Amino acid sequence: MCGILALILADTDASDASADLHESLYYLQHRGQDACGIATCGSGGRIFQCKGNGMASKVFDDGKRTVDLPGYMGIAHLRYPTAGTSSSAESQPFYVNSPYGICFAHNGNLINAPALRSYLDQEAHRHVNTDSDSELMLNVFANALNETGKARVNTDDIFSALKKTYERCQGGWAVTAMIAGFGIFAFRDQYGIRPLIMGSRPSSTLEGGIDYMFASESIALRQLGFSNFQDILPGQAVFIQKNGQPQFHQVVEQKAYSPDIFEYVYFARPDTIMDGISVHRSRQNMGVKLANKVKEILGEEGVKEIDVIIPVPETSNTAAAVVSEQLRKPFSNGFVKNRYVYRTFILPGQKARQKSVRRKLSAMESEFKDRVVLLVDDSIVRGTTSREIVSMAREAGARKVIFASCAPPIIYPHIYGIDLASPQELIAHEKTRSDIAKHINADDVIYQDLADLKAACTEASPDHQKITDFEVGVFCGKYQTDIPEGYFDHLNESRGTKRKATVVNGTNKVLVANSGPVNVSTPETPALMENPENRQDISIHNIANS
């Protein structure tokens, strides 16, 4: 899960596209806190780029660095690490100078990365500089576009190259991209797994002109004055040439319309609408259906015993409020959230997640003491957070703790860009409800049914007929795409691995990953070995972290 953006201004004499892109990063910061970046294109087709590890405010020095990124169009990215490492070299956008100068921002995961890497090496003879599958997709597309042999390409060439890219790449993705001096484009996998939305607004500097923007979530568009939202359809691409209008093209046949249901359960902001589904409304519906499940599991006497409904903030707040209404039980924000702490789920390590739970939440004793508490959370993944939360509730004096999840048991790994965990790390893998309750020290655990979760989302859309299904492989093991043989073994090896450095030939040298020469070793220093931020990714025109 990452956040992607693209913007093209109607006024090609403008030079402040980076300001809007930078602002939009804050609206999608929840989608990735590991790294971020912006690439813009100015006069003469020159590309400017700034990217690095950290949140948007840090990487761009609270916006001060956007003045180094002139241009009328650009793309942006927020990184949440899945496959690959946490090196700043893997922050996006990625760039290749040949052909034509292409920048890529990718959200998703390719499940046939080893085959693509072999193809690029053995047949396309293109150098891949990182472990990121996003760079693989960029090079597959660049190689296909290069086969035109033209000095200048047109939109038909771009769509043809994308068709070849779809034929080679497997997985789920949404991509925004830019070709120097030509325009921006965006495309989505043929199942519609990862979200992508386009909006428009009147130009503020060119009379009659229209600015266009793509984003992972509608909130980033709306807050910048964009409207006329349109979801990019599965298998569809949109190209917007400078001084031009959007050109839509069905690159490959739509195989399904199956958004990832975890977007609605956890990742997306509640004020977002994706694929016609209101995230807020879907979570309200989850609350209705979860309340019915609570009644079914606990029975009338068990429900009477509940004293208070308390959400685990913040994603579950909406559903918990509805559970409270449906059960006619008091609602309390019994946990106080520290808003200056990262979302614990997307922290890149089990110990870091566990340690940060108490830093993130504190329990108010007055809301727990001597009470039977029904805690409502969006999901239970590894159980680390849930166990700490139950412990805090008991320490605050709760007489009994029942834990309810808006999502069904997560049993299988996620393969389309969300780093949930390996099956062995998933608390529900090969465990009963009783086992899980015992593990997290709760008196009982209640899960939403998968059918109810799907219905909660489809019922939140006034036009739910276009959604054929949802990507729900994490709950049932049935994924939208075919899975290459040996993929899960490869996933377990690569996912979550944070390689800090590679020792070269047994000497005290470190192979530095950056966008310059890769076979250059530098003297080993403790800071370099321990902190990926110190391994600079020198961006285009040498705009790097200082």
Side-chain angles (χ1 to χ4, degrees), residues 226-266:
F226 287 82
S227 57
N228 303 316
F229 301 148
Q230 185 170 352
D231 294 292
I232 308 308
L233 298 176
Q236 187 179 66
V238 185
F239 185 86
I240 307 175
Q241 187 174 345
K242 66 177 181 179
N243 300 315
Q245 302 293 317
Q247 299 179 58
F248 293 83
H249 183 75
Q250 193 67 35
V251 179
V252 294
E253 182 182 355
Q254 176 179 314
K255 292 188 177 181
Y257 201 149
S258 306
D260 189 342
I261 208 162
F262 234 87
E263 291 280 358
Y264 304 98
V265 171
Y266 177 80

CSV table of all heavy atoms in Angstrom, one decimal, residues 226-266:
chain,number,residue,atom,x,y,z
A,226,PHE,N,-10.3,20.1,-6.6
A,226,PHE,CA,-10.7,19.3,-7.8
A,226,PHE,C,-12.1,18.6,-7.6
A,226,PHE,O,-12.5,18.4,-6.4
A,226,PHE,CB,-9.7,18.2,-8.0
A,226,PHE,CG,-8.4,18.7,-8.6
A,226,PHE,CD1,-7.4,19.2,-7.7
A,226,PHE,CD2,-8.1,18.6,-9.9
A,226,PHE,CE1,-6.2,19.6,-8.2
A,226,PHE,CE2,-6.9,19.1,-10.4
A,226,PHE,CZ,-5.9,19.6,-9.6
A,227,SER,N,-12.8,18.4,-8.7
A,227,SER,CA,-14.1,17.8,-8.6
A,227,SER,C,-14.2,16.9,-9.9
A,227,SER,O,-13.2,16.6,-10.5
A,227,SER,CB,-15.2,18.8,-8.6
A,227,SER,OG,-15.1,19.7,-9.7
A,228,ASN,N,-15.4,16.5,-10.2
A,228,ASN,CA,-15.7,15.6,-11.4
A,228,ASN,C,-14.9,14.4,-11.3
A,228,ASN,O,-14.2,14.0,-12.2
A,228,ASN,CB,-15.4,16.4,-12.7
A,228,ASN,CG,-16.2,17.6,-12.9
A,228,ASN,OD1,-17.4,17.6,-12.6
A,228,ASN,ND2,-15.5,18.7,-13.3
A,229,PHE,N,-14.9,13.7,-10.1
A,229,PHE,CA,-14.1,12.5,-9.9
A,229,PHE,C,-14.5,11.4,-10.8
A,229,PHE,O,-15.7,11.2,-11.1
A,229,PHE,CB,-14.2,12.1,-8.4
A,229,PHE,CG,-13.8,13.1,-7.4
A,229,PHE,CD1,-14.4,13.2,-6.2
A,229,PHE,CD2,-12.8,14.1,-7.7
A,229,PHE,CE1,-14.1,14.2,-5.2
A,229,PHE,CE2,-12.5,15.0,-6.8
A,229,PHE,CZ,-13.1,15.1,-5.6
A,230,GLN,N,-13.5,10.7,-11.2
A,230,GLN,CA,-13.7,9.5,-12.1
A,230,GLN,C,-12.7,8.4,-11.8
A,230,GLN,O,-11.5,8.7,-11.8
A,230,GLN,CB,-13.6,10.0,-13.6
A,230,GLN,CG,-13.9,8.9,-14.6
A,230,GLN,CD,-14.0,9.4,-16.0
A,230,GLN,OE1,-13.9,10.6,-16.2
A,230,GLN,NE2,-14.1,8.5,-16.9
A,231,ASP,N,-13.2,7.3,-11.4
A,231,ASP,CA,-12.4,6.1,-11.1
A,231,ASP,C,-11.8,5.6,-12.4
A,231,ASP,O,-12.5,5.4,-13.4
A,231,ASP,CB,-13.1,5.0,-10.4
A,231,ASP,CG,-13.6,5.4,-9.0
A,231,ASP,OD1,-12.7,5.6,-8.1
A,231,ASP,OD2,-14.8,5.6,-8.8
A,232,ILE,N,-10.5,5.4,-12.4
A,232,ILE,CA,-9.9,4.7,-13.5
A,232,ILE,C,-10.3,3.2,-13.5
A,232,ILE,O,-10.2,2.6,-12.4
A,232,ILE,CB,-8.3,4.8,-13.5
A,232,ILE,CG1,-7.9,6.3,-13.3
A,232,ILE,CG2,-7.7,4.2,-14.7
A,232,ILE,CD1,-8.5,7.2,-14.3
A,233,LEU,N,-10.8,2.7,-14.6
A,233,LEU,CA,-11.4,1.4,-14.6
A,233,LEU,C,-10.3,0.3,-14.7
A,233,LEU,O,-9.2,0.6,-15.1
A,233,LEU,CB,-12.3,1.2,-15.8
A,233,LEU,CG,-13.5,2.2,-15.8
A,233,LEU,CD1,-14.4,2.0,-17.0
A,233,LEU,CD2,-14.4,2.0,-14.5
A,234,PRO,N,-10.6,-0.9,-14.3
A,234,PRO,CA,-9.6,-2.0,-14.4
A,234,PRO,C,-9.1,-2.1,-15.8
A,234,PRO,O,-10.0,-2.2,-16.8
A,234,PRO,CB,-10.4,-3.2,-13.9
A,234,PRO,CG,-11.5,-2.7,-13.0
A,234,PRO,CD,-11.8,-1.3,-13.6
A,235,GLY,N,-7.8,-2.2,-16.0
A,235,GLY,CA,-7.3,-2.4,-17.3
A,235,GLY,C,-7.2,-1.1,-18.2
A,235,GLY,O,-6.9,-1.2,-19.3
A,236,GLN,N,-7.6,0.0,-17.6
A,236,GLN,CA,-7.7,1.2,-18.3
A,236,GLN,C,-6.5,2.1,-18.1
A,236,GLN,O,-5.9,2.1,-17.0
A,236,GLN,CB,-9.0,2.0,-17.9
A,236,GLN,CG,-9.3,3.2,-18.7
A,236,GLN,CD,-10.6,3.9,-18.3
A,236,GLN,OE1,-10.7,4.4,-17.2
A,236,GLN,NE2,-11.6,3.8,-19.1
A,237,ALA,N,-6.1,2.9,-19.1
A,237,ALA,CA,-5.1,3.9,-18.9
A,237,ALA,C,-5.6,5.3,-19.4
A,237,ALA,O,-6.5,5.3,-20.3
A,237,ALA,CB,-3.9,3.6,-19.7
A,238,VAL,N,-5.1,6.3,-18.8
A,238,VAL,CA,-5.5,7.7,-19.2
A,238,VAL,C,-4.2,8.5,-19.5
A,238,VAL,O,-3.3,8.5,-18.6
A,238,VAL,CB,-6.3,8.4,-18.1
A,238,VAL,CG1,-6.8,9.8,-18.6
A,238,VAL,CG2,-7.5,7.5,-17.7
A,239,PHE,N,-4.1,9.1,-20.6
A,239,PHE,CA,-3.0,10.0,-20.9
A,239,PHE,C,-3.4,11.4,-21.1
A,239,PHE,O,-4.4,11.6,-21.8
A,239,PHE,CB,-2.2,9.5,-22.2
A,239,PHE,CG,-1.0,10.3,-22.5
A,239,PHE,CD1,0.2,9.9,-21.9
A,239,PHE,CD2,-1.0,11.4,-23.3
A,239,PHE,CE1,1.4,10.7,-22.2
A,239,PHE,CE2,0.1,12.1,-23.6
A,239,PHE,CZ,1.3,11.8,-23.0
A,240,ILE,N,-2.7,12.3,-20.5
A,240,ILE,CA,-3.0,13.8,-20.6
A,240,ILE,C,-1.8,14.5,-21.1
A,240,ILE,O,-0.8,14.6,-20.4
A,240,ILE,CB,-3.5,14.4,-19.3
A,240,ILE,CG1,-4.6,13.6,-18.7
A,240,ILE,CG2,-3.9,15.8,-19.5
A,240,ILE,CD1,-5.1,14.0,-17.3
A,241,GLN,N,-1.8,14.9,-22.4
A,241,GLN,CA,-0.7,15.6,-23.0
A,241,GLN,C,-0.7,17.1,-22.5
A,241,GLN,O,-1.8,17.6,-22.2
A,241,GLN,CB,-0.8,15.5,-24.5
A,241,GLN,CG,0.4,16.1,-25.2
A,241,GLN,CD,0.3,15.8,-26.7
A,241,GLN,OE1,-0.5,15.0,-27.2
A,241,GLN,NE2,1.1,16.5,-27.5
A,242,LYS,N,0.4,17.7,-22.5
A,242,LYS,CA,0.4,19.1,-22.1
A,242,LYS,C,-0.4,19.9,-23.1
A,242,LYS,O,-0.4,19.6,-24.3
A,242,LYS,CB,1.8,19.7,-22.1
A,242,LYS,CG,2.6,19.7,-23.4
A,242,LYS,CD,3.9,20.4,-23.2
A,242,LYS,CE,4.7,20.5,-24.5
A,242,LYS,NZ,6.0,21.1,-24.3
A,243,ASN,N,-1.3,20.8,-22.6
A,243,ASN,CA,-2.2,21.5,-23.4
A,243,ASN,C,-3.3,20.7,-24.0
A,243,ASN,O,-4.0,21.1,-24.9
A,243,ASN,CB,-1.6,22.3,-24.6
A,243,ASN,CG,-0.5,23.3,-24.1
A,243,ASN,OD1,-0.7,24.0,-23.2
A,243,ASN,ND2,0.7,23.3,-24.8
A,244,GLY,N,-3.5,19.5,-23.4
A,244,GLY,CA,-4.5,18.5,-24.0
A,244,GLY,C,-5.5,18.1,-23.0
A,244,GLY,O,-5.6,18.5,-21.8
A,245,GLN,N,-6.4,17.2,-23.5
A,245,GLN,CA,-7.5,16.7,-22.7
A,245,GLN,C,-7.2,15.2,-22.4
A,245,GLN,O,-6.4,14.6,-23.1
A,245,GLN,CB,-8.8,16.7,-23.5
A,245,GLN,CG,-9.2,18.1,-24.0
A,245,GLN,CD,-9.6,19.0,-22.8
A,245,GLN,OE1,-10.3,18.6,-21.9
A,245,GLN,NE2,-9.1,20.2,-22.8
A,246,PRO,N,-7.8,14.6,-21.4
A,246,PRO,CA,-7.6,13.2,-21.1
A,246,PRO,C,-8.0,12.3,-22.2
A,246,PRO,O,-9.0,12.5,-22.8
A,246,PRO,CB,-8.5,13.0,-19.8
A,246,PRO,CG,-8.7,14.3,-19.3
A,246,PRO,CD,-8.7,15.3,-20.4
A,247,GLN,N,-7.1,11.4,-22.5
A,247,GLN,CA,-7.4,10.4,-23.5
A,247,GLN,C,-7.5,9.0,-22.8
A,247,GLN,O,-6.5,8.5,-22.3
A,247,GLN,CB,-6.3,10.3,-24.6
A,247,GLN,CG,-6.2,11.7,-25.3
A,247,GLN,CD,-5.1,11.6,-26.3
A,247,GLN,OE1,-5.1,10.8,-27.2
A,247,GLN,NE2,-4.1,12.5,-26.2
A,248,PHE,N,-8.7,8.4,-22.8
A,248,PHE,CA,-8.9,7.1,-22.2
A,248,PHE,C,-8.7,6.0,-23.1
A,248,PHE,O,-9.1,6.1,-24.3
A,248,PHE,CB,-10.3,7.1,-21.6
A,248,PHE,CG,-10.6,8.0,-20.5
A,248,PHE,CD1,-10.9,9.4,-20.7
A,248,PHE,CD2,-10.5,7.6,-19.1
A,248,PHE,CE1,-11.1,10.3,-19.7
A,248,PHE,CE2,-10.7,8.5,-18.1
A,248,PHE,CZ,-11.0,9.8,-18.4
A,249,HIS,N,-8.1,4.9,-22.6
A,249,HIS,CA,-7.9,3.8,-23.5
A,249,HIS,C,-8.0,2.5,-22.7
A,249,HIS,O,-7.3,2.4,-21.6
A,249,HIS,CB,-6.5,3.9,-24.2
A,249,HIS,CG,-6.3,2.8,-25.1
A,249,HIS,ND1,-6.9,2.7,-26.4
A,249,HIS,CD2,-5.5,1.6,-25.0
A,249,HIS,CE1,-6.4,1.6,-27.0
A,249,HIS,NE2,-5.6,1.0,-26.2
A,250,GLN,N,-8.8,1.5,-23.1
A,250,GLN,CA,-8.8,0.2,-22.5
A,250,GLN,C,-7.7,-0.6,-23.0
A,250,GLN,O,-7.7,-1.2,-24.1
A,250,GLN,CB,-10.2,-0.5,-22.8
A,250,GLN,CG,-10.4,-1.7,-21.9
A,250,GLN,CD,-10.7,-1.3,-20.4
A,250,GLN,OE1,-11.2,-0.3,-20.1
A,250,GLN,NE2,-10.2,-2.1,-19.5
A,251,VAL,N,-6.6,-0.6,-22.2
A,251,VAL,CA,-5.3,-1.3,-22.6
A,251,VAL,C,-5.5,-2.8,-22.7
A,251,VAL,O,-5.1,-3.4,-23.7
A,251,VAL,CB,-4.2,-1.0,-21.6
A,251,VAL,CG1,-2.9,-1.7,-22.0
A,251,VAL,CG2,-4.0,0.5,-21.4
A,252,VAL,N,-6.1,-3.4,-21.7
A,252,VAL,CA,-6.5,-4.8,-21.8
A,252,VAL,C,-7.9,-5.0,-21.3
A,252,VAL,O,-8.5,-4.1,-20.7
A,252,VAL,CB,-5.5,-5.7,-20.9
A,252,VAL,CG1,-4.1,-5.6,-21.4
A,252,VAL,CG2,-5.5,-5.2,-19.5
A,253,GLU,N,-8.5,-6.2,-21.6
A,253,GLU,CA,-9.8,-6.4,-21.2
A,253,GLU,C,-9.9,-6.5,-19.7
A,253,GLU,O,-9.1,-7.1,-19.0
A,253,GLU,CB,-10.3,-7.8,-21.8
A,253,GLU,CG,-11.7,-8.2,-21.5
A,253,GLU,CD,-12.1,-9.5,-22.1
A,253,GLU,OE1,-11.2,-10.1,-22.8
A,253,GLU,OE2,-13.2,-10.0,-21.8
A,254,GLN,N,-11.0,-5.9,-19.2
A,254,GLN,CA,-11.3,-6.0,-17.7
A,254,GLN,C,-11.6,-7.4,-17.4
A,254,GLN,O,-12.5,-8.0,-17.9
A,254,GLN,CB,-12.4,-5.0,-17.4
A,254,GLN,CG,-12.8,-5.1,-16.0
A,254,GLN,CD,-14.0,-4.1,-15.7
A,254,GLN,OE1,-13.9,-2.9,-16.1
A,254,GLN,NE2,-15.0,-4.6,-15.0
A,255,LYS,N,-10.8,-8.0,-16.4
A,255,LYS,CA,-11.1,-9.3,-16.0
A,255,LYS,C,-12.0,-9.4,-14.8
A,255,LYS,O,-12.7,-10.4,-14.6
A,255,LYS,CB,-9.7,-10.0,-15.7
A,255,LYS,CG,-8.9,-10.2,-16.9
A,255,LYS,CD,-7.6,-11.1,-16.6
A,255,LYS,CE,-6.8,-11.3,-17.8
A,255,LYS,NZ,-5.6,-12.2,-17.5
A,256,ALA,N,-12.1,-8.4,-14.0
A,256,ALA,CA,-13.0,-8.3,-12.9
A,256,ALA,C,-13.0,-6.8,-12.4
A,256,ALA,O,-12.2,-6.0,-12.9
A,256,ALA,CB,-12.5,-9.2,-11.8
A,257,TYR,N,-13.9,-6.5,-11.5
A,257,TYR,CA,-13.8,-5.2,-10.9
A,257,TYR,C,-13.9,-5.5,-9.4
A,257,TYR,O,-14.9,-5.6,-8.8
A,257,TYR,CB,-15.0,-4.3,-11.3
A,257,TYR,CG,-14.8,-2.8,-11.0
A,257,TYR,CD1,-15.4,-1.9,-11.9
A,257,TYR,CD2,-14.0,-2.4,-10.0
A,257,TYR,CE1,-15.2,-0.5,-11.7
A,257,TYR,CE2,-13.8,-1.0,-9.8
A,257,TYR,CZ,-14.4,-0.1,-10.6
A,257,TYR,OH,-14.2,1.2,-10.4
A,258,SER,N,-12.7,-5.7,-8.8
A,258,SER,CA,-12.5,-6.3,-7.5
A,258,SER,C,-11.6,-5.5,-6.6
A,258,SER,O,-10.4,-5.8,-6.4
A,258,SER,CB,-12.0,-7.7,-7.6
A,258,SER,OG,-12.9,-8.5,-8.4
A,259,PRO,N,-12.0,-4.3,-6.1
A,259,PRO,CA,-11.1,-3.5,-5.2
A,259,PRO,C,-10.7,-4.3,-4.0
A,259,PRO,O,-11.5,-5.2,-3.5
A,259,PRO,CB,-12.0,-2.3,-4.8
A,259,PRO,CG,-13.1,-2.3,-5.8
A,259,PRO,CD,-13.4,-3.7,-6.2
A,260,ASP,N,-9.6,-4.0,-3.5
A,260,ASP,CA,-9.1,-4.6,-2.2
A,260,ASP,C,-10.0,-4.2,-1.1
A,260,ASP,O,-10.0,-3.0,-0.8
A,260,ASP,CB,-7.6,-4.2,-2.0
A,260,ASP,CG,-7.0,-5.0,-0.9
A,260,ASP,OD1,-7.7,-5.6,-0.1
A,260,ASP,OD2,-5.7,-5.0,-0.8
A,261,ILE,N,-10.6,-5.1,-0.4
A,261,ILE,CA,-11.6,-4.7,0.6
A,261,ILE,C,-10.9,-4.1,1.8
A,261,ILE,O,-11.5,-3.4,2.6
A,261,ILE,CB,-12.4,-6.0,1.0
A,261,ILE,CG1,-13.8,-5.5,1.5
A,261,ILE,CG2,-11.7,-6.9,2.0
A,261,ILE,CD1,-14.8,-6.6,1.5
A,262,PHE,N,-9.5,-4.4,2.0
A,262,PHE,CA,-8.8,-3.9,3.1
A,262,PHE,C,-8.7,-2.3,3.1
A,262,PHE,O,-8.5,-1.7,4.1
A,262,PHE,CB,-7.4,-4.5,3.2
A,262,PHE,CG,-7.2,-5.1,4.6
A,262,PHE,CD1,-7.5,-6.4,4.8
A,262,PHE,CD2,-6.6,-4.4,5.6
A,262,PHE,CE1,-7.3,-7.0,6.1
A,262,PHE,CE2,-6.3,-4.9,6.8
A,262,PHE,CZ,-6.7,-6.2,7.1
A,263,GLU,N,-8.9,-1.8,1.9
A,263,GLU,CA,-8.9,-0.3,1.8
A,263,GLU,C,-10.0,0.3,2.6
A,263,GLU,O,-9.9,1.3,3.3
A,263,GLU,CB,-9.1,0.1,0.3
A,263,GLU,CG,-7.9,-0.1,-0.6
A,263,GLU,CD,-6.8,0.9,-0.5
A,263,GLU,OE1,-7.0,1.9,0.3
A,263,GLU,OE2,-5.8,0.8,-1.1
A,264,TYR,N,-11.2,-0.4,2.6
A,264,TYR,CA,-12.4,0.1,3.3
A,264,TYR,C,-12.3,-0.3,4.8
A,264,TYR,O,-12.8,0.4,5.6
A,264,TYR,CB,-13.6,-0.5,2.6
A,264,TYR,CG,-13.7,-0.1,1.2
A,264,TYR,CD1,-13.3,-1.1,0.2
A,264,TYR,CD2,-14.1,1.1,0.8
A,264,TYR,CE1,-13.3,-0.8,-1.1
A,264,TYR,CE2,-14.1,1.4,-0.6
A,264,TYR,CZ,-13.7,0.5,-1.5
A,264,TYR,OH,-13.7,0.8,-2.9
A,265,VAL,N,-11.7,-1.4,5.1
A,265,VAL,CA,-11.6,-1.9,6.5
A,265,VAL,C,-10.6,-1.0,7.3
A,265,VAL,O,-10.9,-0.6,8.4
A,265,VAL,CB,-11.1,-3.3,6.5
A,265,VAL,CG1,-10.8,-3.7,8.0
A,265,VAL,CG2,-12.2,-4.3,6.0
A,266,TYR,N,-9.5,-0.7,6.6
A,266,TYR,CA,-8.4,0.0,7.4
A,266,TYR,C,-7.7,1.1,6.8
A,266,TYR,O,-7.5,2.2,7.4
A,266,TYR,CB,-7.4,-1.1,7.8
A,266,TYR,CG,-6.2,-0.5,8.6
A,266,TYR,CD1,-6.3,-0.3,9.9
A,266,TYR,CD2,-5.0,-0.3,7.9
A,266,TYR,CE1,-5.2,0.2,10.6
A,266,TYR,CE2,-3.9,0.3,8.6
A,266,TYR,CZ,-4.0,0.5,10.0
A,266,TYR,OH,-2.9,1.0,10.6
